[in-house]
Amino acid sequence: MPQPSAPRRNPGRPPRFTREEVIGAARRIVAEEGVERLTMRRLATEVGSTPMALYHHVRNKEELLVLLLDDHAARTLRRTAMPAEPRERIVTAAAAIHRALADCPWIVEVLTADDLLSASALWFVEQIVDGFVACGLTPERAVHGYRAIWYYTAGEIVVRTAADRRRADDDRPTYREQVFTDLAPGELPRLAGLADAWGPLTAEDTYLDGLRALVEGLTERG
């Protein structure tokens, strides 16, 4: 586990720092220690100041997280020409969001609370909702379509990240592997027949295949 950054000791009057420096320090803490360790007190230690001085730049942890979300979106989500075909536009926009979040899975943990949102990512949400409307869905059902894609995207990242972390931290057989070893072919013939292949198959990256199937199913009802 990475060790916390050494506090920067600055005797006397706390130094002046910019909002960009605050965001950079917060980004380091989250990357090295996890989002749960990001507190105003911990951040103050990182920049060599006091929690009170931070409030000149951010009101609270929630605003700090929003700034981090916007910072990450601005650095990783680039607006590009979207396909004219609406289904492909939905897939392209959703895939862009997935790529940005997969590189920084802690953001998914924050976003799944459903209270915080990056304004920088809204252009991509617009493409998804507008694509559904262009496929014949009402605006209300287009929002439901976006939510289905978001649940699928966030869930895929959370599950894959947890599995990767499990494999990195412990190379012992998982509970699932132990159970699949003893499956009874007479009771669960399909699963028993796939027992040896189940791990490799479920480790494959099938996000885009699932996304296209989801979009196709949602738009066929339009």
Side-chain angles (χ1 to χ4, degrees):
M1 179 180 294
Q3 296 299 314
S5 303
R8 297 177 185 148
R9 300 184 182 279
N10 294 288
R13 187 173 183 178
R16 293 175 180 247
F17 45 83
T18 65
R19 173 174 281 200
E20 288 71 25
E21 290 172 325
V22 171
I23 295 173
R27 189 165 60 239
R28 288 194 300 273
I29 293 171
V30 169
E32 296 173 6
E33 304 173 38
V35 68
E36 67 280 355
R37 293 294 302 274
L38 180 61
T39 64
M40 299 300 277
R41 184 176 298 278
R42 175 70 186 85
L43 182 58
T45 300
E46 180 70 12
V47 299
S49 186
T50 65
M52 187 61 65
L54 291 177
Y55 293 115
H56 293 293
H57 298 282
V58 290
R59 291 191 299 269
N60 48 42
K61 181 178 177 178
E62 183 172 278
E63 183 182 18
L64 180 61
L65 287 173
V66 170
L67 290 173
L68 279 176
L69 294 176
D70 277 332
D71 172 70
H72 183 74
R75 288 183 295 107
T76 59
L77 279 173
R78 305 294 184 187
R79 297 186 185 187
T80 59
M82 287 286 165
E85 203 284 316
R87 290 180 181 83
E88 281 301 309
R89 188 165 11 127
I90 295 169
V91 169
T92 300
I97 293 174
H98 179 268
R99 284 193 301 272
L101 296 179
D103 290 336
C104 204
W106 69 264
I107 288 182
V108 176
E109 298 178 25
V110 174
L111 291 175
T112 49
D114 221 26
D115 294 322
L116 303 180
L117 182 67
S118 168
S120 300
L122 288 180
W123 185 82
F124 293 86
V125 178
E126 169 76 14
Q127 305 309 307
I128 294 172
V129 173
D130 184 66
F132 276 124
V133 172
C135 288
L137 275 66
T138 65
E140 292 77 15
R141 289 182 63 187
V143 172
H144 295 161
Y146 161 71
R147 295 300 291 171
I149 287 177
W150 167 240
Y151 291 148
Y152 169 62
T153 299
E156 196 273 347
I157 292 172
V158 169
V159 171
R160 185 172 296 276
T161 299
D164 290 345
R165 187 183 299 122
R166 163 67 170 78
R167 285 192 291 268
D169 293 342
D170 191 345
D171 59 0
R172 293 177 301 174
T174 64
Y175 178 72
R176 188 263 305 159
E177 291 169 337
Q178 297 175 46
V179 170
F180 269 48
T181 299
D182 298 324
L183 287 179
E187 182 180 359
L188 303 168
R190 292 295 185 190
L191 294 183
L194 288 165
D196 291 338
W198 192 271
L201 286 172
T202 55
E204 291 179 6
D205 183 359
T206 58
Y207 172 77
L208 279 178
D209 291 338
L211 176 61
R212 291 185 184 281
L214 180 58
V215 172
E216 182 178 346
L218 290 167
T219 53
E220 280 183 350
R221 299 186 309 157

